[in-house]
Amino acid sequence: MFDSLKSPHDVAIVAIAVLLGSFLLNLFERFAFEWKVPDTRGIEMDLTRSIEDLKKEAAKLMTPETFAASAKAERKAIALEKELDTMRRNRAIAGMHYMVRLPRTMRMVLFVGAMFVALTGHTKVVCFMDPSTLWPLGRWLSLLSGHGASDGVIGLIPWCILCHRVTKSLVSSENK
């Protein structure tokens, strides 16, 4: 019935390899990002608040008697805006470092490899489940597996996507 399944052992190895590969790539990406990209969000928020406060102060002091103080506050706000812009630019440049881009490139290679395996017919199905278990997502989970949603299969491509999303949420720095 399921001729695309060569051997359950081989399919299990492919599924576990995809899961572990995705986990390791997401873990490497997190640590490379923390190592190479400085976390300046707190400083940026403080600078943004300071700029807003200075602009409000300058607006309050916009009278002929306090024009000098108003101009001084405006100049300081402009200087802080330039500093904030420089900080954001430096963070963006650090994010373009090859160590940060490497896991994304490797993930694309993994996904293209999985597409190749799935499209050449070596292993299109990762696992079989009761169709009622997969009911709302059955059609999507059987994508490119060569089976319908009623067969209760999870294809290799949806498995890769699920592994990436789940492992990314597990290793994300927001959870720590």
Side-chain angles (χ1 to χ4, degrees):
M1 179 177 171
F2 298 112
D3 56 346
S4 65
L5 181 62
K6 301 299 182 193
S7 159
H9 180 262
D10 295 340
V11 172
I13 288 175
V14 169
I16 291 171
V18 168
L19 180 64
L20 285 176
S22 183
F23 178 76
L24 291 174
L25 284 173
N26 282 320
L27 194 64
F28 180 68
E29 181 179 24
R30 175 183 172 203
F31 288 125
F33 193 79
E34 287 181 3
W35 178 44
K36 287 294 180 182
V37 181
D39 188 16
T40 58
R41 288 178 289 196
I43 298 169
E44 288 176 9
M45 287 176 49
D46 291 342
L47 280 175
T48 304
R49 277 191 226 114
S50 297
I51 291 168
E52 290 172 0
D53 292 343
L54 285 171
K55 287 184 177 181
K56 287 178 185 176
E57 182 184 335
K60 287 179 187 175
L61 297 173
M62 195 56 109
T63 62
E65 298 85 27
T66 58
F67 178 75
S70 173
K72 182 177 179 182
E74 284 181 13
R75 286 193 302 271
K76 189 168 183 176
I78 290 171
L80 288 177
E81 283 176 342
K82 287 181 182 178
E83 182 181 346
L84 180 64
D85 187 43
T86 302
M87 192 177 298
R88 287 180 177 160
R89 193 175 315 117
N90 289 342
R91 182 179 164 102
I93 289 170
M96 307 231 354
H97 193 269
Y98 72 93
M99 287 296 288
V100 176
R101 290 189 328 224
L102 182 65
R104 293 177 188 147
T105 305
M106 290 172 63
R107 186 175 307 108
M108 287 306 299
V109 168
L110 177 71
F111 188 73
V112 167
M115 286 287 288
F116 176 75
V117 167
L119 293 176
T120 57
H122 288 82
T123 302
K124 291 183 179 183
V125 177
V126 173
C127 76
F128 300 97
M129 297 181 79
D130 181 32
S132 63
T133 307
L134 304 174
W135 170 69
L137 302 173
R139 181 169 297 188
W140 180 81
L141 290 172
S142 65
L143 183 72
L144 292 177
S145 67
H147 302 283
S150 62
D151 291 336
V153 299
I154 297 178
L156 183 61
I157 302 306
W159 178 255
C160 289
I161 295 168
L162 282 173
C163 287
H164 167 66
R165 297 307 304 159
V166 169
T167 57
K168 181 123 180 137
S169 68
L170 285 175
V171 300
S172 71
S173 60
E174 288 83 27
N175 293 338
K176 305 301 181 223

